Amino acid sequence: ASPACKSSLEKRIGMQLEQASLENLLFRNLNCNLEPLYDISCVQRILDHFLLLDQSNVAASTAHQGDDGQFIDCLSIAPMMTVARLIDSYLAEVAPDVNLK
């Protein structure tokens, strides 16, 4: 696939990352020569797209002050926590790869 096609797909996945499962992120690397087993860079770009989207959503939404005096954006907490757990699982899965740099 062309780089533009890959980039578009990564962006669309990033927009829905909170709906993904661990298996959805385990993209095998096609180059086996001393490369990590999984395409870590692709997942990083997908996460970057998710974070950019989340930042723009936070900027566009209104925040309210919680009981502890801190401002909380309720719209972004749940997806962020879901993605955080997903990325934690992903890192645990790919960490044993001896070719990971």
Side-chain angles (χ1 to χ4, degrees):
S2 72
C5 182
K6 288 180 184 178
S7 179
S8 175
L9 186 57
E10 289 168 354
K11 184 176 182 178
R12 288 187 282 160
I13 294 170
M15 293 171 63
Q16 302 175 16
L17 189 56
E18 71 273 7
Q19 299 172 24
S21 68
L22 175 60
E23 292 76 25
N24 297 139
L25 296 181
L26 294 175
F27 308 120
R28 289 260 184 195
N29 228 343
L30 298 179
N31 301 334
C32 296
N33 306 355
L34 299 176
E35 293 287 328
L37 183 59
Y38 298 107
D39 192 346
I40 310 293
S41 299
C42 179
V43 174
Q44 184 173 358
R45 289 188 301 271
I46 290 169
L47 181 60
D48 289 343
H49 286 296
F50 172 79
L51 293 173
L52 286 174
L53 179 66
D54 187 67
Q55 285 178 348
S56 64
N57 286 344
V58 168
S61 68
T62 57
H64 72 278
Q65 195 167 8
D67 293 337
D68 59 358
Q70 293 186 356
F71 285 95
I72 301 170
D73 181 10
C74 294
L75 296 176
S76 67
I77 291 174
M80 186 64 73
M81 293 300 293
T82 301
V83 169
R85 284 190 289 273
L86 175 63
I87 296 301
D88 187 52
S89 298
Y90 177 78
L91 293 173
E93 182 70 26
V94 301
D97 186 351
V98 295
N99 293 321
L100 191 61
K101 296 176 185 174

